[in-house]
Amino acid sequence: MNDFVLVEKLLDYGIKNELMTSCDVEVVRNELWRFLQIECDLDDVVRETSDDDIYDLLGAFVANRKDRLELEYEIESFQAELMSKLLPRNSELNQKFWALHNESPEKATAYFYTLSNKSAYIRMDRVKNNVSWTSNGVFGELDITINLSKPEKSPKEIAMMKEAKPSVYPKCLLCVENAGYGGNIKHPARQNHRLVKMELGGEDWYFQYSPYVYYNEHAIVLCKEHRNMKIDRNTFVRLSDFVDLLPHYFVGSNADLHTVGGSILTHDHYQAGNYEMPMMRAKEALQYDAVEYPNVDISVLEWPLSVVKLASTDRERLIDLADNILASWIEYSDLDYDLISHTDQRHNTVTPIMRKKNGVYELYLALRNNRHTPEHPSGLFHPHDEHHHIKRENIGLIEVMGLAVLPGRLVAEKNQLMEMLMSSGGYKAGLFDDSPELIKHDQWVASLGETIKDLISDEQALSRFFDDEIGKKFELALIDSGVFKDSYEGVLKFLEEGCLL
């Protein structure tokens, strides 16, 4: 199909999906023609409406220039540029978002999320490749996701990345300057990326959606200023401001220290979404009364990490108490639990998460410590070595709440494990010796040998069994990351002695 017909289909798609209106057609057509370097008598163009999937439509444009678009980053940039021609500017988007917000916050986010999907900024064609299931654990149901949505680099691209100069603009993937950016070999294209500006804690912050969603309406909230992550009282104020603006969303921050934080510590940001995380459904192991904070309910969750939950309709007193807990935790040590707050550096921080439920502010404070020891060089309160074959990355905000984001390699490795086990009639010592990708799973599979033997003739049952066992491994990784493990009395001791509550 030639480019002229494809352009008409793209224009029709843009109108049908409210990315543009019929008033924009002439301008957008001219911009698309100029970008594609095509022109003809409009009377000769076949006008076709579009019921095509947007990714099929974009793929057809790419197919017409397959000799020029070879590398994935080139294709991404080309497709993002096409879609950007259909989209409103940030000022127009913000005007509509806040107008809808006056009617209802849900209408505002529904509009922005739909636009982010229909513009192909959220790559649902890749997200649908993720493998997800739920796993019943000791602490309740956990969400498990194996991430297959991020495209792999070709050998040629990897070689080019090694030779390319470091990207200095934008400074990172979270900077506001990413909106509209064309991308390069080291930085993804973001021409079809849009942001909503909002004020949090008296500062300019921006709201966007993640291009690779892990849960419903997975959003990112980022500071306009490129500055390091920092958890302090201002964090609690900004989280409160956010749930006041979007009370149907939760919002949380990664911890601000290495090992227990997220992958980007150099730009202050939060993650949010319209989703109830497993941790939010956890039972309360015990409750605590603080005389100075009679309007705040304090509880310790029955959860693999050590989590203090605060709940109140009194926003200011809740923030006061959270600030007290944070300041006390930063200085708190308890040798009974091998918990040391400082060596040559600070080790204690929190992972805070907030939501607003029926007008009540709920703030979850996961207590974290990033100390490394000779016995646990990856981190004392980090997934231990025996779980690294499944999960070795940091336990960040999303995992703290009970949603595992596991590496894509696990899909192929699980299939290979099953194939070898079924062909050999079960586990045998040395089965994986000649398989460098599988040998790391040897001890784990050996420990499951008897159960595997009973399932070896039922592929579906064996697959479900491995899914359950992967879920158990994730839960064990969370337990490793808990500072007090299952000792809720350890948390209570901190509240009483550390916070003097």
Side-chain angles (χ1 to χ4, degrees):
M1 192 177 299
N2 68 53
D3 281 348
F4 295 107
V5 176
L6 291 174
V7 165
E8 296 308 305
K9 282 178 168 284
L10 191 59
L11 293 171
D12 186 62
Y13 173 88
I15 294 169
K16 285 179 176 176
N17 289 282
E18 300 183 6
L19 302 179
M20 53 182 278
T21 72
S22 57
C23 292
D24 301 315
V25 166
E26 289 74 25
V27 171
V28 176
R29 179 188 289 118
N30 285 331
E31 289 186 354
L32 287 167
W33 280 14
R34 185 166 57 252
F35 171 61
L36 296 169
Q37 298 181 323
I38 59 174
E39 191 172 313
C40 75
D41 187 334
L42 191 57
D43 292 337
D44 296 333
V45 175
V46 177
R47 311 286 182 88
E48 290 194 15
T49 58
S50 176
D51 294 317
D52 300 65
D53 176 89
I54 186 57
Y55 301 107
D56 292 339
L57 193 54
L58 292 173
F61 278 105
V62 172
N64 285 350
R65 40 198 47 79
K66 57 186 177 183
D67 56 330
R68 286 171 281 163
L69 296 175
E70 176 187 356
L71 302 177
E72 186 62 34
Y73 89 93
E74 295 172 330
I75 294 172
E76 284 193 351
S77 181
F78 172 79
Q79 293 179 336
E81 186 69 31
L82 279 176
M83 294 307 300
S84 73
K85 307 300 184 186
L86 280 61
L87 298 182
R89 293 192 175 195
N90 266 343
S91 58
E92 298 169 306
L93 181 142
N94 274 260
Q95 186 176 22
K96 184 165 185 178
F97 179 93
W98 290 111
L100 289 169
H101 188 274
N102 287 335
E103 299 178 32
S104 126
E106 290 86 352
K107 283 186 179 180
T109 54
Y111 157 71
F112 188 29
Y113 187 64
T114 299
L115 181 140
S116 299
N117 266 297
K118 298 299 184 181
S119 66
Y121 170 71
I122 298 176
R123 294 300 304 240
M124 294 306 294
D125 58 329
R126 294 173 181 162
V127 172
K128 68 182 182 183
N129 294 327
N130 288 347
V131 179
S132 301
W133 69 93
T134 58
S135 175
N136 292 317
V138 175
F139 299 90
E141 194 172 74
L142 299 173
D143 293 340
I144 312 295
T145 293
I146 296 180
N147 177 22
L148 297 173
S149 58
K150 293 187 179 180
E152 294 185 3
K153 301 289 185 185
S154 68
K156 184 175 180 179
E157 285 178 293
I158 293 170
M160 290 175 64
M161 289 180 69
K162 289 181 180 178
E163 298 298 324
K165 293 181 180 179
S167 180
V168 295
Y169 176 88
K171 291 180 179 177
C172 78
L173 293 171
L174 295 176
C175 283
V176 66
E177 290 82 10
N178 279 280
Y181 183 63
N184 56 54
I185 188 66
K186 285 195 169 183
H187 200 104
R190 290 289 183 260
Q191 296 99 312
N192 55 344
H193 175 34
R194 298 294 182 265
L195 298 155
V196 168
K197 184 179 180 181
M198 56 178 53
E199 183 177 304
L200 301 179
E203 296 181 326
D204 288 341
W205 282 63
Y206 290 83
F207 171 66
Q208 66 171 70
Y209 287 102
S210 169
Y212 302 108
V213 293
Y214 292 134
Y215 49 84
N216 188 46
E217 298 179 38
H218 181 181
I220 299 172
V221 188
L222 55 98
C223 182
K224 181 177 182 179
E225 180 186 357
H226 179 78
R227 68 187 187 208
N228 290 343
M229 296 280 293
K230 185 179 181 181
I231 306 296
D232 58 15
R233 181 187 180 90
N234 293 323
T235 305
F236 306 135
V237 171
R238 290 190 288 264
L239 298 183
S240 301
D241 283 350
F242 182 87
V243 297
D244 283 343
L245 289 170
L246 302 178
H248 57 301
Y249 273 40
F250 79 85
V251 62
S253 175
N254 267 302
D256 54 352
L257 297 178
H258 67 80
T259 306
V260 295
S263 58
I264 300 178
L265 293 175
T266 55
H267 196 119
D268 210 359
H269 70 285
Y270 311 135
Q271 296 188 65
N274 188 6
Y275 189 67
E276 184 177 60
M277 289 289 184
M279 183 195 70
M280 298 170 183
R281 300 190 292 268
K283 299 176 182 177
E284 295 179 353
L286 55 86
Q287 296 180 331
Y288 184 77
D289 294 321
V291 176
E292 294 183 25
Y293 300 92
N295 297 330
V296 183
D297 295 330
I298 307 170
S299 58
V300 179
L301 293 190
E302 192 174 307
W303 194 244
L305 285 92
S306 303
V307 180
V308 177
K309 177 184 175 183
L310 311 179
S312 181
T313 56
D314 189 335
R315 170 184 150 140
E316 294 309 310
R317 289 303 282 164
L318 181 139
I319 291 172
D320 288 342
L321 178 53
D323 189 35
N324 179 356
I325 291 173
L326 173 62
S328 301
W329 177 248
I330 287 173
E331 302 297 330
Y332 187 75
S333 296
D334 190 334
L335 297 183
D336 289 342
Y337 298 94
D338 212 7
L339 178 64
I340 298 173
S341 67
H342 291 78
T343 53
D344 58 341
Q345 58 185 288
R346 173 168 71 94
H347 294 297
N348 285 356
T349 186
V350 300
T351 300
I353 301 106
M354 180 174 278
R355 68 171 176 171
K356 200 172 183 181
K357 187 175 181 181
N358 300 322
V360 177
Y361 296 92
E362 294 183 352
L363 178 61
Y364 302 82
L365 299 173
L367 307 177
R368 313 299 300 275
N369 178 287
N370 77 340
R371 191 163 68 90
H372 295 232
T373 67
E375 296 79 15
H376 298 289
S378 298
L380 177 59
F381 303 107
H382 176 84
H384 291 170
D385 290 354
E386 61 268 27
H387 309 311
H388 284 185
H389 66 108
I390 299 294
K391 175 71 175 176
R392 67 178 301 151
E393 298 81 10
N394 291 355
I395 298 297
L397 169 67
I398 295 174
E399 287 90 356
V400 164
M401 296 185 286
L403 193 162
V405 181
L406 302 178
R409 61 174 172 81
L410 286 177
V411 171
E413 289 173 8
K414 173 192 159 186
N415 290 337
Q416 291 170 33
L417 282 173
M418 290 176 51
E419 184 178 337
M420 293 184 70
L421 288 165
M422 294 179 76
S423 63
S424 63
Y427 176 78
K428 297 177 177 63
L431 181 61
F432 307 127
D433 286 356
D434 296 327
S435 302
E437 298 86 5
L438 303 183
I439 191 66
K440 59 180 171 288
H441 298 298
D442 185 75
Q443 291 186 358
W444 175 53
V445 177
S447 70
L448 306 173
E450 288 304 313
T451 306
I452 290 172
K453 193 173 182 179
D454 294 337
L455 300 172
I456 209 68
S457 60
D458 188 336
E459 184 175 353
Q460 288 188 344
L462 185 61
S463 180
R464 288 194 299 269
F465 171 73
F466 270 114
D467 286 348
D468 289 340
E469 292 302 318
I470 289 171
K472 290 176 183 178
K473 273 287 184 178
F474 173 62
E475 187 174 58
L476 290 171
L478 291 183
I479 291 171
D480 286 346
S481 305
V483 291
F484 294 110
K485 310 307 178 197
D486 59 352
S487 175
Y488 306 117
E489 289 74 16
V491 186
L492 185 62
K493 179 183 176 184
F494 157 65
L495 293 173
E496 291 177 337
E497 298 181 9
C499 299
L500 300 178
L501 294 180

